Amino acid sequence: ANKELILVDDGCTDRSGSICDRLKRENSGVTVIHRGNGGVSAARNCGMEYATGEYLAFMDSDDLLEPDYLENLHAAAKAYPHCLPVCGIRLWQEQGEETVHAGTPSLIKTANFPLIYRDGLLAGPCNKLFETKLLQKAQLRFDHRFSIGEDMLFNLEYLRHKEGIYLTGKAAYIYRIKDTDGLHAVCGYERFQSIAAMYRKSVSYTHLTLPTT
């Protein structure tokens, strides 16, 4: 299948921008966007504006993919069009330690979402395949006001338009964990705001009512 690769240079101060430009010169179907630093949510939103394919997948610049990552998710999207395809992840640490969360191929409805959230398969956007037209029609974007939980909020909004999740059972996305990951640096009031927003969205999604006191 035809693929397009959108590389967003979010104000990088190393050689990332020139590497992106070289990849564009050497490969057709590559789009490079240079912009000022605005954070991961703004960068993802920017990339979404340029997407023209039927489906959209996200990847962080320091992570890795199995060769059949897209094929695995695409096959699930075609077989289960009313669900969000989700593949498993491999957590790889710099010390060489690795943890695999993949599950078994299964169709998961709303009530069972906590089971895959516990294994880290629901929170991020990078092990999923989204319909570009749906994202555009619903005007879904990442909330750049938050630096933690914004991807979970995005996923929950998208799932309002789907009947559930299809878990492929293959750990095709490799998430590299570094000691300097931004998630661990977020603390204080900003972290509280993000967690509160994620909680309210989760409760809203499951059709529960928040206490007023």
Side-chain angles (χ1 to χ4, degrees):
N2 294 328
K3 303 180 182 69
E4 62 179 354
L5 177 63
I6 302 172
L7 303 174
V8 181
D9 169 20
D10 190 42
C12 294
T13 57
D14 55 15
R15 296 179 54 248
S16 298
S18 60
I19 293 174
C20 290
D21 290 335
R22 175 172 57 81
L23 290 172
K24 179 180 179 180
R25 290 193 300 268
E26 297 174 353
N27 300 273
S28 60
V30 175
T31 299
V32 177
I33 306 164
H34 298 284
R35 63 189 308 277
N37 181 262
V40 62
S41 291
R44 287 171 176 164
N45 291 339
C46 180
M48 289 167 64
E49 296 294 335
Y50 287 80
T52 61
E54 182 179 3
Y55 297 100
L56 179 65
F58 296 95
M59 180 183 180
D60 290 339
S61 59
D62 51 355
D63 292 340
L64 302 170
L65 303 175
E66 292 290 351
D68 61 347
Y69 161 77
L70 286 176
E71 286 74 12
N72 181 255
L73 289 172
H74 183 260
K78 291 300 185 181
Y80 301 91
H82 301 297
C83 295
L84 171 65
V86 177
C87 73
I89 57 175
R90 287 163 53 194
L91 303 177
W92 184 82
Q93 297 181 327
E94 291 182 331
Q95 299 84 353
E97 300 178 8
E98 184 177 271
T99 305
V100 177
H101 297 290
T104 57
S106 53
L107 183 62
I108 301 174
K109 295 296 186 178
T110 307
N112 293 322
F113 282 179
L115 298 178
I116 63 170
Y117 175 77
R118 179 188 58 197
D119 290 334
L121 299 180
L122 182 60
C126 295
N127 62 326
K128 302 168 179 65
L129 194 66
F130 300 88
E131 292 183 31
T132 305
K133 286 186 177 180
L134 194 158
L135 292 172
Q136 295 171 343
K137 181 179 180 180
Q139 297 182 326
L140 295 182
R141 294 294 183 269
F142 293 89
D143 193 333
H144 59 83
R145 295 174 300 173
F146 304 126
S147 55
I148 178 176
E150 76 288 345
D151 40 12
M152 178 68 169
L153 296 174
F154 177 85
N155 292 340
L156 289 176
E157 281 296 326
Y158 184 86
L159 283 167
R160 290 182 182 275
H161 306 273
K162 291 292 182 178
E163 296 178 2
I165 285 173
Y166 182 76
L167 190 62
T168 70
K170 179 179 176 61
Y173 190 89
I174 305 168
Y175 180 73
R176 297 174 63 190
I177 302 175
K178 304 186 301 300
D179 292 337
T180 56
D181 272 354
L183 176 62
H184 303 292
V186 178
C187 58
Y189 185 62
E190 182 183 359
R191 182 181 180 91
F192 171 78
Q193 285 184 309
S194 299
I195 293 175
M198 185 166 57
Y199 169 75
R200 290 179 180 277
K201 185 69 67 176
S202 301
V203 170
S204 173
Y205 180 78
T206 53
H207 308 292
L208 297 177
T209 303
L210 281 171
T212 56
T213 58

